[in-house]
Each structure stands twice: as structure tokens, then as C-alpha cells.
Amino acid sequence: MHPRRPDGFDGLGYRGGARDDQGFGGTFPARSFSSGSDLGHWVTTPPDIPGSRNLHWGEKSPPYGVPSASTPYEGPAEEPFSGGGGGGVQGQSSEQLNRFAGFGIGLASLFTENVLAHPCIVLRRQCQVNYHARHYHLTPFTVINIMYSFNKTQGPRALWKGMGSTFIVQGITLGAEGIISEFTPLPREVLHKWNPKQIGEHILLKSLTYMVAMPFYSASLIETVQSEIIRDNTGILECVKEGIGRVIGMGVPHSKRLLPLLSLVFPTVLHGVLHYIISSVIQKFVLLILKRKTYNSHLAESTSPVQSMLDAYFPELIANFAASLCSDVILYPLETVLHRLHIQGTRTIIDNTDLGYEVLPINTQYEGMRDCINTIRQEEGVLGFYKGFGAVIIQYTLHAAVLQITKIIYSTLLQNSI
């Protein structure tokens, strides 16, 4: 239940210099975001579910790493439009390129996280809940082989199932967080000058959000691991129907091994809160390092105009990438336990991840989180908590490659326009 969507990328909101900020009360005077002290107020929080972001009304991310007027560096200035000369037209063209490039960079990252990486998420979850499996798929090589087998026997839909439900869960999570924060004093974000009470209230808001989204997340999990061989053509809102049915005790009949939602609250909230905290800490740490690196390079007068423009977009993407990767790796064993508890008793039929064909039932009988941990450690060993880890390697390798390709394309466009 965690993001992996870059924060603060509103695409057309980036500028190379100062701009006016619109708030609830009116127009504020233009201010420059180039100084190191101002940047600290604009460190955004990382997402809490795959593909989500913490939205705030009127919030836009400022340019990152653009040197101030006192800095020796002189980059391409934004010139006013002039009807009689070509300089204004060139400045306006450069500005438009920057705006659409920022939108394209953010869009490429979101597309990678939510669409291209979905087959990795599907196989990763199937391996996690498959207690029968003898092959743990800890490396990307075996994962690619089993992906090919699934695609050959069941078609491409076997690797893209449940993608619509993941978007629905993201929407429910964002909506629940917004509604709860509107009707309660719980803050959606932590201010720069925070205190322990504010941190506690913010974590409480996240916990309540995870509790609201929990039944729908469980239904989405079932859609992503259910075998395509016996799967019916369900509608895109099926996870909403199943989530509501799980809450009120109606819908598809489940077995007696189904764990009540109350017993799933603690592991679900624990995983979500830990993922959010780890992501926040790592994101701010990486942004701090990149900010210092950019500042030192500007002082040394070694920054080219192209590199200076790249510094306005990519540090936040890199920070979010590192935060999501580290939190997923650290919490992977807990995620395995969480998914097994959610899937138990739902009469779900999954694919055989050892052979690439045939199907297997889920017949676990865990009594709770502690029993699940002890059973996995005794019957499958410590590596049993890391089943399907090779899919995580492929997922983030693909994401890093897309970011690098996007950076190369953007650099080429900037060099041609300067």
C-alpha cells in the first residue's frame, strides 16, 4: 500500500526564476527558490502507496538547484516577448521547452512505476503468497523465465491483471486521507518546524487512511494473484464491490480460515507506517546530499547551462526512487507476511510459479501475524520471506533505465535549444 510516484511534479508549474504563488488569501510577492534556506521548506513527503502522492491545494514544487543572482553562474535567462526582435521569441521557446520537458519527465516516471512495472508486481505477489513453491526466484534470471512461461501459456493478460484495481486503491487512499484531514485537525503534511505532537498526529492520519483502504487493498491483491486460467472477466469496479462485501460480510463466500479484518489492522498499519517513515527519511537525506552537491558545483563555476536545468528536475525524482527502493527492500519480509494474511481463506487459485503452468490453491492456516512469521521461518527458511525478490530487482532496474533514458533525451533537447 505504498507509493512510488514522484512528488511535486505538476509539469507546467516549473520556472527558471521567481514566480508568484497563489494561495487561499490572494497573491503573494514573487520569491526566489534558489537559496539553500528556502529549499528546506519545499522538501516534499514521499508517497505512501504505489503510484500515489500527497496532494496539497495549490502546492507546486519550485525549481531545484537553480543558482541565485549572487551566484557567479549565468544561465539562460527568460526574456520577455518582443515583437521586433528574435531574442524574445527564443526565450519564450526555451521556456516552453522547459515546461513541457518537466511534464514529460514526470509522466515518464509515473508511466514506468504504474504501468511498465506492473508485471513485476504481479509476479512478486504471486511468489510471496505461494507457500508451495520450491523455487524462490531470488534473481532476475529465473523471474524472466517464469514471466515468459506465463505469457506463453496464458497470454499477455496474465502479467497485467489487476492493474485497474491498483489505481482504484490509490484513489481511495488519497480520497480517504483528504476527507479525514478536512474533518479532523490531523495535518496532511509536516511543517518545516515540526514538533512531536505534529508528527504523532500526522502518523495517526496515515494509520487511519491505511485502515480505510485495507479491505479494498485486500480485494486488489486477490485480483493481481488470481490465476488467469480460472479468472472471470470482472469489471474495473469489482475490487470496490469485494472490499465493501468484505466489510459487511457479504459477497463471495469465503472459507473458515479467512482472518477477520480486525486481525489484519495491525500488520497493515505497521507495514504502511514503516514504509512511509523510511521513505520520508531516505528521501530527505538524498535531497540534502544532492542539494549540497549542486550548491558546491555552482560555487566552483563548473556547472553548464544544461546541467543547471537538469538540476531543476531530476534531484526529486532520484530521491523518490532511492526512498521507494530502500523501503521496499527493507520491508520485503513484512510485506510477504502481510500478503499471506490477506489472501488466506479467500479461496484464491494462483499460478504455479515453479512450472509456469497449472494452478495451485491457497490453503494456509495461519492464526495471526506471529504464527505466520514462525511458520515461514520453520518450513521455508529465512529466504522464504524473500520469495520473488528478483522481480523487485527487475522493477527498479527498469525504472532506473527509464530515468536515465529520459535524462539523455532531455539533455539532447536542451543542447539543441541553447
Side-chain angles (χ1 to χ4, degrees), residues 73 76 94 98 304-313 410 414 418:
Y73 163 78
S94 177
N98 287 339
S304 64
V306 173
Q307 183 61 40
S308 180
M309 291 183 181
L310 291 176
D311 290 340
Y313 297 99
Y410 184 44
L414 287 176
I418 293 179

Side-chain angles (χ1 to χ4, degrees), residues 16 66-68 71-79 303-306 308-309 418:
V66 181
S68 61
T71 310
Y73 163 78
E74 294 182 358
E78 186 176 313
E79 300 179 5
T303 304
S304 64
V306 173
S308 180
M309 291 183 181
I418 293 179

Side-chain angles (χ1 to χ4, degrees), residues 4 18 33 73 105 146 170 173 210 227 247 265 279 287 337 389:
R4 302 181 183 94
F33 292 95
Y73 163 78
I105 291 170
I146 204 67
Q170 295 167 20
T173 305
Y210 298 140
S227 177
V247 174
V265 169
S279 298
L287 278 175
V337 174
F389 189 78

Side-chain angles (χ1 to χ4, degrees), residues 199-226:
I199 292 290
E201 291 177 345
H202 183 65
I203 295 300
L204 178 59
L205 173 64
K206 293 294 182 181
S207 301
L208 294 176
T209 302
Y210 298 140
M211 291 175 60
V212 172
M214 180 178 62
F216 307 100
Y217 178 80
S218 181
S220 175
L221 175 64
I222 295 174
E223 287 193 19
T224 55
V225 301
Q226 181 88 295

Side-chain angles (χ1 to χ4, degrees), residues 69-362:
S70 60
T71 310
Y73 163 78
E74 294 182 358
E78 186 176 313
E79 300 179 5
F81 176 75
S82 169
V89 176
Q90 183 178 2
Q92 189 180 50
S93 175
S94 177
E95 178 193 358
Q96 291 178 352
L97 176 62
N98 287 339
R99 295 162 112 185
F100 286 105
F103 178 79
I105 291 170
L107 185 62
S109 180
L110 297 180
F111 179 78
T112 304
E113 295 173 0
N114 294 277
V115 180
L116 291 182
H118 191 74
C120 299
I121 297 175
V122 169
L123 188 61
R124 157 184 172 179
R125 292 180 173 181
Q126 282 192 320
C127 293
Q128 286 177 320
V129 302
N130 188 1
Y131 68 99
H132 303 279
R134 295 293 175 263
H135 299 287
Y136 288 7
H137 300 295
L138 302 176
T139 65
F141 307 105
T142 59
V143 170
I144 294 175
N145 184 42
I146 204 67
M147 280 184 174
Y148 174 78
S149 300
F150 285 157
N151 183 76
K152 183 178 180 180
T153 56
Q154 303 178 33
R157 291 183 58 184
L159 298 176
W160 302 93
K161 54 191 175 185
M163 185 169 63
S165 66
T166 59
F167 288 109
I168 292 177
V169 173
Q170 295 167 20
I172 292 175
T173 305
L174 291 175
E177 183 178 343
I179 293 174
I180 295 174
S181 64
E182 285 293 328
F183 291 94
T184 63
L186 303 178
R188 293 194 68 180
E189 67 173 350
V190 179
L191 300 178
H192 182 63
K193 296 181 179 179
W194 55 269
N195 55 66
K197 179 182 178 182
Q198 189 181 46
I199 292 290
E201 291 177 345
H202 183 65
I203 295 300
L204 178 59
L205 173 64
K206 293 294 182 181
S207 301
L208 294 176
T209 302
Y210 298 140
M211 291 175 60
V212 172
M214 180 178 62
F216 307 100
Y217 178 80
S218 181
S220 175
L221 175 64
I222 295 174
E223 287 193 19
T224 55
V225 301
Q226 181 88 295
S227 177
E228 194 69 22
I229 296 177
I230 51 93
R231 177 186 175 89
D232 298 328
N233 292 325
T234 57
I236 191 173
L237 297 178
E238 187 69 19
C239 84
V240 178
K241 175 183 175 182
E242 291 295 328
I244 296 176
R246 182 77 180 268
V247 174
I248 64 179
M250 298 179 61
V252 179
H254 303 295
S255 70
K256 296 180 179 180
R257 299 186 304 274
L258 180 69
L259 294 174
L261 287 177
L262 288 178
S263 63
L264 298 176
V265 169
F266 176 73
T268 302
V269 172
L270 177 65
H271 178 265
V273 169
L274 288 179
H275 195 283
Y276 178 75
I277 293 175
I278 294 173
S279 298
S280 299
V281 172
I282 294 177
Q283 184 200 36
K284 288 175 173 55
F285 179 73
V286 173
L287 278 175
L288 179 62
I289 294 177
L290 294 177
K291 182 175 69 173
R292 289 182 176 179
K293 180 180 178 181
T294 303
Y295 179 73
N296 293 334
S297 63
H298 287 158
L299 290 179
E301 302 183 9
S302 59
T303 304
S304 64
V306 173
Q307 183 61 40
S308 180
M309 291 183 181
L310 291 176
D311 290 340
Y313 297 99
F314 280 93
E316 190 176 4
L317 281 177
I318 296 174
N320 278 280
F321 171 82
S324 182
L325 172 61
C326 293
S327 55
D328 275 358
V329 172
I330 294 173
L331 296 178
Y332 196 87
L334 180 58
E335 184 184 71
T336 299
V337 174
L338 177 66
H339 287 168
R340 292 202 183 187
L341 294 177
H342 271 279
I343 210 73
Q344 177 173 302
T346 57
R347 297 185 177 180
T348 302
I349 305 297
I350 65 173
D351 295 307
N352 189 330
T353 56
D354 288 338
L355 304 176
Y357 55 91
E358 296 182 353
V359 294
L360 297 169
I362 299 295

